[in-house]
Amino acid sequence: FGSRCLARVQFCANCGAQKAMAFRLTYRRQCRYNTKSNKQRVVKTPGGRAVFQVLKKKAKGPHCGDCGKALIGLPRLRPVEYMRLKQREKRVNRAYGGSRCAHCVRKRIVRAFLIEEQKCVKQVLAEKLSQAKEKEGGKKKTKK
């Protein structure tokens, strides 16, 4: 048979054309329905039989909690398989590694820095205002 042809070839009696017949297979596990968790693949055994092979679900992988993009440098595994990983394999060596992407971490750091700078500026302005009020208060007293 061809490279990946897994159907029986049958010749039409009327026109002589080749027709592919699908295999009639039964599920090998207890679930009898074509659900998301019961996906199968047809495989030919060395003996020539066609059987179902159970497929695993595809993993979505970790995503950034802020922007939703997929995180780079982390494996795409099912949740149970993450439990079996070592801690260094679950995260990236950075602040918020394994939880937020580098772009969002940079944004957070810059935002925190600017907030601190704004607090310092407010404090300096408040000191200048208080000094100006003291000077005005002193001048008024000398005039009277």
Side-chain angles (χ1 to χ4, degrees):
F1 60 97
S3 59
R4 280 188 62 99
C5 179
L6 294 174
R8 289 185 231 145
V9 177
Q10 192 179 39
F11 292 97
C12 181
N14 297 337
C15 60
Q18 285 186 356
K19 287 185 178 179
M21 250 181 83
F23 289 112
R24 299 193 66 166
L25 301 171
T26 55
Y27 287 121
R28 302 171 81 183
R29 293 192 180 174
Q30 290 184 348
C31 182
R32 299 179 296 181
Y33 303 104
N34 186 22
T35 59
K36 277 198 297 185
S37 61
N38 194 29
K39 292 297 176 194
Q40 311 285 328
R41 186 173 134 202
V42 181
V43 175
K44 278 261 193 151
T45 61
R49 286 191 320 128
V51 293
F52 268 147
Q53 191 178 58
V54 180
L55 296 176
K56 288 183 178 178
K57 277 187 172 183
K58 277 196 172 180
K60 191 178 172 192
H63 286 73
C64 176
D66 290 348
C67 64
K69 289 182 183 174
L71 293 177
I72 298 169
L74 300 176
R76 290 182 156 218
L77 301 173
R78 296 295 295 165
V80 175
E81 291 168 335
Y82 275 117
M83 286 191 334
R84 298 186 197 122
L85 287 183
K86 295 172 185 162
Q87 188 63 34
R88 66 179 175 78
E89 294 169 333
K90 291 183 202 175
R91 63 193 312 273
V92 181
N93 195 6
R94 178 179 62 234
Y96 295 101
S99 169
R100 304 287 187 264
C101 66
H103 184 69
C104 292
V105 171
R106 188 181 301 124
K107 271 187 187 175
R108 281 178 178 225
I109 292 169
V110 169
R111 188 185 306 130
F113 174 74
L114 290 175
I115 289 170
E116 287 298 315
E117 283 291 306
Q118 202 166 11
K119 284 179 186 174
C120 293
V121 169
K122 273 186 182 179
Q123 190 178 359
V124 169
L125 286 173
E127 287 174 7
K128 281 187 179 179
L129 261 170
S130 63
Q131 285 177 359
K133 280 185 180 178
E134 285 176 15
K135 285 182 181 178
E136 284 178 17
K139 286 180 182 176
K140 284 181 182 176
K141 287 180 182 176
T142 53
K143 284 181 184 176
K144 288 183 180 177

